[in-house]
Amino acid sequence: MNDKLMLMIPGPTPVPEQVLLAMAKHPIGHRSGDFTKIMAEVTQNLKWLHQTQSDVLMLAASGTGAMEAGIINFLSPGDRVLVTSNGKFGERWVELCQAYGLNTETVTAEWGQAIDPEQVREKLAADTTKQLKAVIVTHSETSTGVLNDLEAINRHVKAHGQALIIVDVVTSLGAINIPFDEWELDVVASGSQKGFMIPPGLGFVAVSPKAWETYKTAKLPRYYLDLGKYRKDAAKNSTPFTPPVNLIFALQAALKMMQAEGLENIFARHQRLTAATRAAIKALGLPLFAPDDAASPAITAVAPQGVDAEQIRAVLKKRFDIVMAGGQDHLNGKIFRIGHLGFVGDRDILAAVASLEATLQELGYQGFTPGAGVAAASQVFVKA
Ligand SMILES: *Cc1c(COP(=O)(O)O)cnc(C)c1O
């Protein structure tokens, strides 16, 4: 059916009607008084979302652009960095660091497993001459649905004392608690088409005072993504280059919605959606790809046995207008991924699980009692 598409991928995520309507206007001049007022409001609310008094800067870029800004503003050629990598996005950090000639070491885990913070601690403890300039982490590894233990990794970085901690929070910001100031994080990068509930096109970077100190001596080349420019103009509620004005209208509306719901409620909702989805998948007898104690709040990956992941996706799309994500790289055809990030409610999960059950029946999968998934998800919602 036309216009009934339900996006359950980990980005772009669904966009609320009031956010879409906020965008449906002529752009205004980005040097106008009206725009300055919007910038002032949005800047404050971004700080609220990041739980920081420090700077949160906005870029006309996708999440990867924000990640790149998070590297080039704070490091110099040849700097030693430690990158955690347990999926596609961890690999992206590695590629990005190598592209800029950084001396890149890794702590890895198999795709589907979490990084062991102890391995990060060992690497940091071995660096007695304090050569490591940064520890670079993917918080929610979207390719596998694994949540890495940022709090524990960060504790070890703080014990080292010198290295910055630079984090991809693209699918954890606005889904789980990340108190930027309280944890003394240095740089976190995110993108608009994930927890922000707006279309793709904006990247966000939060920067600590310690990272700004490093900025002064960092020598990697930078121009469009020079965060110092954005900081200087943000102080005047402006931007150095023409911003995507209509996306900022959308951001203004989305941040208002988030404030009305409240951070605690937003985190609780994502926790509930995750719990319900995982309970349903277990009840259907399908193996979950990420362990219970490292479950991403944004995405649940499923590794079906005896029924093809791509066939499941194809039937869900064709019969039910539901789009779920496939596996990336070597996981293609092995897993499918259910996004539950941003503008997603309990009803969406019930609809998705019921449709998944019907799909499994159509594909002749025998491993479950019809209704068991919906019952398990309902139970989570009723108890919550
Ligand atoms: C989506 C995503 C990104 C950013 O990807 P873009 O396509 O550049 O927006 C980065 N990291 C993670 C974990 C993501 O899920």
Side-chain angles (χ1 to χ4, degrees):
M1 199 190 292
N2 268 344
D3 276 348
K4 262 294 194 190
L5 192 69
M6 187 167 158
L7 268 187
M8 297 201 82
I9 58 176
T13 62
V15 179
E17 198 164 71
Q18 48 185 294
V19 173
L20 290 170
L21 287 173
M23 294 178 72
K25 328 185 235 237
H26 288 290
I28 59 174
H30 62 290
R31 305 290 180 217
S32 66
D34 284 345
F35 191 70
T36 304
K37 277 191 218 129
I38 294 173
M39 277 297 290
E41 178 187 326
V42 160
T43 302
Q44 272 319 110
N45 290 346
L46 283 172
K47 290 183 187 199
W48 166 81
L49 177 64
H50 286 75
Q51 306 185 53
T52 184
Q53 303 293 319
S54 197
D55 299 291
V56 184
L57 305 165
M58 232 183 318
L59 306 166
S62 77
T64 307
M67 291 164 68
E68 186 152 337
I71 296 295
I72 63 177
N73 284 278
F74 308 106
L75 294 163
S76 300
D79 274 356
R80 263 184 73 192
V81 297
L82 182 64
V83 182
T84 68
S85 176
N86 55 335
K88 183 83 181 161
F89 291 99
E91 287 186 351
R92 184 168 298 181
W93 273 134
V94 173
E95 289 166 10
L96 180 45
C97 290
Q98 287 172 345
Y100 279 101
L102 299 174
N103 183 352
T104 309
E105 293 167 41
T106 56
V107 166
T108 61
E110 245 177 82
W111 288 34
Q113 298 300 312
I115 295 291
D116 177 5
E118 184 56 21
Q119 287 186 23
V120 178
R121 191 196 64 74
E122 281 167 15
K123 290 263 192 190
L124 286 163
D127 179 35
T128 50
T129 55
K130 309 290 179 193
Q131 297 300 307
L132 276 172
K133 301 296 183 206
V135 175
I136 302 168
V137 181
T138 306
H139 189 195
S140 165
E141 180 45 82
T142 311
S143 62
T144 60
V146 166
L147 185 75
N148 287 312
D149 189 347
L150 177 60
E151 191 175 8
I153 293 170
N154 181 54
R155 260 201 312 276
H156 301 319
V157 178
K158 292 283 105 65
H160 178 273
Q162 293 289 318
L164 296 175
I165 181 153
I166 300 173
V167 193
D168 171 343
V169 296
V170 180
T171 55
S172 54
L173 186 76
I176 195 167
N177 191 28
I178 310 172
F180 186 86
D181 285 359
E182 188 191 321
W183 288 1
E184 297 177 51
L185 299 174
D186 292 306
V187 179
V188 307
S190 59
S192 56
Q193 79 278 24
K194 308 286 174 99
F196 284 92
M197 311 186 288
I198 67 181
L202 282 173
F204 305 91
V205 193
V207 182
S208 74
K210 179 178 168 183
W212 282 124
E213 274 308 304
T214 319
Y215 168 87
K216 291 181 190 162
T217 53
K219 294 202 171 47
L220 283 174
R222 57 194 187 214
Y223 187 80
Y224 185 70
L225 297 178
D226 181 343
L227 292 177
K229 293 189 176 94
Y230 291 83
R231 181 193 208 191
K232 193 160 146 273
D233 284 31
K236 298 173 285 177
N237 297 314
S238 185
T239 56
F241 311 109
T242 312
V245 169
N246 291 53
L247 277 179
I248 294 172
F249 296 158
L251 178 64
Q252 182 188 26
L255 287 169
K256 269 194 194 133
M257 282 180 70
M258 292 173 100
Q259 286 206 311
E261 186 175 0
L263 283 182
E264 290 302 318
N265 291 331
I266 292 172
F267 302 152
R269 175 166 54 81
H270 283 87
Q271 207 269 329
R272 189 169 74 237
L273 299 175
T274 304
T277 304
R278 294 179 71 87
I281 295 300
K282 284 181 194 170
L284 297 179
L286 298 174
L288 288 159
F289 195 63
D292 282 338
D293 62 0
S296 164
I299 182 133
T300 298
V302 184
Q305 305 281 315
V307 49
D308 186 82
E310 288 305 296
Q311 274 190 341
I312 292 174
R313 291 204 318 123
V315 174
L316 276 169
K317 171 75 177 38
K318 185 157 174 279
R319 298 292 307 274
F320 302 104
D321 292 305
I322 296 179
V323 186
M324 293 188 184
Q328 292 169 286
D329 292 354
H330 67 273
L331 294 178
N332 188 267
K334 304 239 162 50
I335 63 170
F336 68 93
R337 296 173 299 147
I338 308 168
H340 36 76
L341 175 61
F343 189 54
V344 180
D346 298 359
R347 185 189 69 192
D348 298 316
I349 300 299
L350 290 176
V353 169
S355 304
L356 177 60
E357 290 194 6
T359 297
L360 292 170
Q361 285 180 279
E362 175 159 328
L363 291 172
Y365 170 71
Q366 302 283 346
F368 76 113
T369 311
V374 171
S378 304
Q379 206 170 27
V380 171
F381 292 141
V382 167
K383 276 199 220 142

